[in-house]
Amino acid sequence: MSRTPILAFALLLGSAVFVSPCARAQTEMAHEHAPGPLVTALAIHTPAGSATLSLEDLKAKPHITVTVHNPHTNADETYSGVPLIELLAPLGTPHGKDLHGKGLSDYIIATGSDGYKAVIALAEIDPEFHPGQVLVADTMDGKPIDAKTGPFRLVVSEDKRPARSVHNLASIELKAAE
């Protein structure tokens, strides 16, 4: 048996492993710069109900402020917004003492207008389980979020990289793991 096909396969496999970090970096960069359609409302879906939030609706709710470090810009950014659990709770989402058992396998899919998606466990957005904040922000550094990244942005305060901080947030969907 010839060693050429085996050697060619090994080289191909090795180059795929080497290219993967580059492809991953390009995907992250595309997320940072790829504009999607203009978002005018945030769609929220849970098994128990749905809602649509305008920017005015979000501004009318009690806000909190978090500061996160953005390694892409090497700067701290201060966001103000509504904790995600506060948007999901009125739609029947279990939280606090009611979040246990099967509910601990529930997760959220946050989707940007460009199709970018991030997944967050339901327990990560509940302050009784997790020390970080997950919020839907409408301001950054005291100003409305610009059209490139807003009007809504999902911010996950405890992440070391902002990969789950979805800009141009268009929808939030609560799902149950099977």
Side-chain angles (χ1 to χ4, degrees):
M1 180 176 195
S2 171
R3 294 174 61 163
T4 304
I6 294 172
L7 181 58
F9 177 74
L11 287 172
L12 180 62
L13 184 62
S15 67
V17 170
F18 178 75
V19 172
S20 291
C22 295
R24 192 171 36 248
Q26 287 175 341
T27 300
E28 286 181 17
M29 285 175 50
H31 168 63
E32 283 295 313
H33 301 290
L38 179 65
V39 175
T40 58
L42 176 62
I44 303 173
H45 304 284
T46 73
S50 295
T52 302
L53 241 61
S54 69
L55 185 56
E56 291 74 29
D57 295 334
L58 189 71
K59 286 184 181 300
K61 296 185 178 299
H63 280 48
I64 63 168
T65 301
V66 298
T67 300
V68 296
H69 183 75
N70 185 339
H72 298 297
T73 60
N74 196 28
D76 287 344
E77 298 170 343
T78 301
Y79 290 93
S80 177
V82 178
L84 182 54
I85 193 67
E86 299 299 326
L87 300 176
L88 292 171
L91 297 173
T93 301
H95 63 287
K97 66 178 177 43
D98 295 327
L99 180 55
H100 53 79
K102 189 169 176 5
L104 291 173
S105 66
D106 290 354
Y107 60 97
I108 289 121
I109 301 172
T111 305
S113 65
D114 61 356
Y116 187 84
K117 295 178 188 251
V119 174
I120 300 167
L122 180 58
E124 286 182 278
I125 71 165
D126 190 323
E128 290 192 24
F129 276 92
H130 193 264
Q133 294 290 336
V134 178
L135 60 106
V136 175
D138 57 3
T139 68
M140 182 179 106
D141 297 330
K143 299 175 189 149
I145 295 177
D146 64 30
K148 179 183 173 190
T149 58
F152 307 105
R153 182 174 182 141
L154 186 76
V155 177
V156 183
S157 70
E158 294 295 309
D159 285 356
K160 291 182 180 181
R161 292 185 1 218
R164 295 192 299 172
S165 290
V166 179
H167 65 260
N168 290 315
L169 183 64
S171 70
I172 300 286
E173 186 174 7
L174 177 66
K175 293 190 166 245
E178 296 178 16

